[in-house]
C-alpha cells in the first residue's frame, strides 16, 4: 500500500529535508503536495485526497493542532513533526500515528511510516468487511422472499418454508414444510439464480433442495439425501462433488 501524503511546515529547510528523507527511505509514501501553513493545507485537502499528513505544530497564525478537525473529518492520519517535545502528550491525545522530533531520525521516520501503513491497511480491511457484510445482509434480506406468479397475480413465499423444488416439464413444483405443494408455470431454471444465494443447491437436473431441510445423506447405493419430511432424493453423479463440497461448508459453518 502506498499512501498519498501532505507535508505541512512553515520552514523551507524542514519541508525540503523531510521530502528528501521520505523520497530516499520510504517508498510506501508519495508526497502529493507541500503546504507552508495550515490555511494552505486546508485548501489542498479540499482539492486532493490524502491518507497521511506530516504536520508541524509551531507555525505562525495557526498551529498544527488547528488543522486536526479537518483531518479527523476526512479520516486522514497524522504524524507530527516538531522541534518541541512539550507537545507530545497533546499529540498522543489527538490519536496521532506518531510524534517525531526535529531533526528527524531516519529510523524513527521509517518506523512512523510503517505504523501509518499498518493503520491504513487495518482501516481498509475494516471498511471492506463492512461493505461486504452489508452486501451480504442486503442480499439475504432480498432473497428471503420469493415472488411466484399465480392465476390472478402473484404470491410471496418465504424461502425458509421451501423444502425442495421439482421440475415437471415447463412447470415447477414447490414442496413446502407445511406439506403443501404449489405448482408454478415456470421451469426450474427460472428460480435457480435467486435461490442459490440462500442455501439452495441443484442436486439433479430436476431437483433443487434447501440445505436447511437436509438431515443426512448416503452413498451406499448411489448418493442420496434424506430430508426432514421423510423424502429421499437422488443426487446425480455429475453434481455429487459440488453437493458434498457445499454440504461441508454449510454444516461446518
Amino acid at each position: 500500500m502506498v499512501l498519498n501524503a501532505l507535508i505541512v511546515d512553515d520552514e523551507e529547510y524542514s519541508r525540503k529535508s523531510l521530502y528528501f528523507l521520505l523520497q530516499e527511505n520510504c517508498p510506501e509514501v508519495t508526497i502529493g503536495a507541500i503546504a507552508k501553513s495550515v490555511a494552505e493545507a486546508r485548501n489542498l485537502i479540499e482539492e486532493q485526497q490524502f491518507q497521511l499528513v506530516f504536520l508541524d505544530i509551531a507555525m505562525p497564525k495557526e498551529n498544527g493542532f488547528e488543522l486536526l478537525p479537518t483531518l479527523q473529518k476526512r479520516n486522514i492520519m497524522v504524524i507530527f513533526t516538531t522541534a518541541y517535545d512539550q507537545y507530545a502528550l497533546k499529540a498522543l491525545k489527538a490519536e496521532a500515528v506518531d510524534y517525531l522530533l526535529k531533526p528527524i531520525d531516519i529510523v524513527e521516520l521509517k518506523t512512523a511510516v510503517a505504523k501509518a501503513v499498518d493503520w491504513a491497511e487495518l482501516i481498509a480491511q475494516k471498511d471492506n468487511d463492512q461493505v461486504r457484510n452489508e452486501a451480504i445482509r442486503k442480499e439475504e434480506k432480498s432473497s428471503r422472499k420469493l415472488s411466484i406468479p399465480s392465476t390472478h397475480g402473484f404470491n410471496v413465499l418465504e424461502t425458509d418454508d421451501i423444502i425442495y423444488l421439482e421440475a415437471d416439464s415447463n412447470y415447477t413444483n414447490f414442496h413446502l414444510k407445511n406439506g403443501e405443494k404449489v405448482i408454478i408455470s415456470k421451469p426450474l431454471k427460472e428460480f435457480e439464480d435467486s435461490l442459490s444465494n440462500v442455501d439452495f443447491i441443484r442436486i439433479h437436473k430436476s431437483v433443487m433442495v434447501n440445505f436447511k431441510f437436509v438431515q443426512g445423506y448416503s452413498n451406499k447405493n448411489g448418493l442420496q439425501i434424506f430430508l426432514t419430511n421423510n423424502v429421499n432424493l437422488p443426487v446425480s453423479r455429475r453434481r455429487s462433488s459440488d453437493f458434498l463440497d457445499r454440504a461441508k461448508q454449510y454444516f461446518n459453518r
Side-chain angles (χ1 to χ4, degrees), residues 38-58:
V38 168
E40 186 179 354
R42 286 197 188 95
N43 291 334
L44 288 168
I45 290 168
E46 289 291 334
E47 297 169 358
Q48 299 185 45
Q49 288 188 340
F50 299 100
Q51 290 83 44
L52 177 64
V53 171
F54 293 90
L55 182 60
D56 187 22
I57 296 177

Side-chain angles (χ1 to χ4, degrees), residues 190-208:
E190 293 284 326
F191 304 103
E192 185 171 4
D193 290 340
S194 57
L195 288 175
S196 61
N197 293 324
V198 282
D199 298 329
F200 282 75
I201 185 171
R202 192 86 172 254
I203 64 167
H204 190 278
K205 67 179 181 180
S206 302
V207 178
M208 191 171 191

Side-chain angles (χ1 to χ4, degrees), residues 29 76 88 94 115 130 138 155 163 172 194 213 246:
V29 171
I76 300 173
K115 286 182 186 177
Q130 288 177 339
K138 287 181 178 179
N155 294 320
I163 300 178
T172 300
S194 57
F213 298 98
R246 286 279 305 277

